[in-house]
Every structure is written in structure tokens, then in C-alpha cells.
Amino acid sequence: FFLNFVNFVKKAKKLDNDILVFPGQISIEEAKKLPKTVIFGGEFDLPKRDYLAFAETMKKTDRFVGLHMMPGVSHEYYYHFDQ
């Protein structure tokens, strides 16, 4: 068990600077390489701070199209349309 946990931690550490996992850490130079971007998120979304940081960086480029925050919903709200 312990070795599996150690391997998990080592793999997780590699994701710390991955902009696909944490897009709020993207540099302006990297953001300029992205296609036109619209960002959607929920009002009570756990990664809200990260997507807001991503939006602020994207606004400094010509790639930002818009940000839409769905009121009253949390993460993965789009999976619950049938409820």
C-alpha cells in the first residue's frame, strides 16, 4: 500500500505545473497560442478560482471570447440536466 501511495504522490507532483490540469497557471505567452476561448463554470464550482485566473490571463490576449458563470450550480452541472 505504501509504495502505491508513494508512486501516486510522485505522479501527482508532475501535474502541479500542468496547464491542462490547472489552466489558471497559464502564461500570457502560452495563452496567445490557444484558439479563441469561451470559459464556462458554475457559481459554486470548486475550481472557480482557477478558471477565473484563466479568464484574467486570457483577457490579456486576443483569444478571449467570454466567461459565463452559471448561477446556483456546482461542478459538472451539465451532467444533471435530466434531474
Side-chain angles (χ1 to χ4, degrees), residues 6-50:
V6 170
N7 287 333
F8 170 78
V9 170
K10 286 180 182 177
K11 288 178 184 176
K13 287 274 185 200
K14 292 178 184 178
L15 298 177
D16 283 351
N17 297 315
D18 189 332
I19 61 169
L20 296 177
V21 179
F22 301 106
Q25 296 180 9
I26 195 169
S27 68
I28 293 174
E29 293 76 30
E30 291 173 305
K32 288 178 180 179
K33 297 175 186 175
L34 295 176
K36 297 281 186 179
T37 304
V38 177
I39 302 165
F40 292 89
E43 180 181 9
F44 303 113
D45 207 343
L46 291 174
K48 180 178 177 180
R49 183 182 305 168
D50 198 57

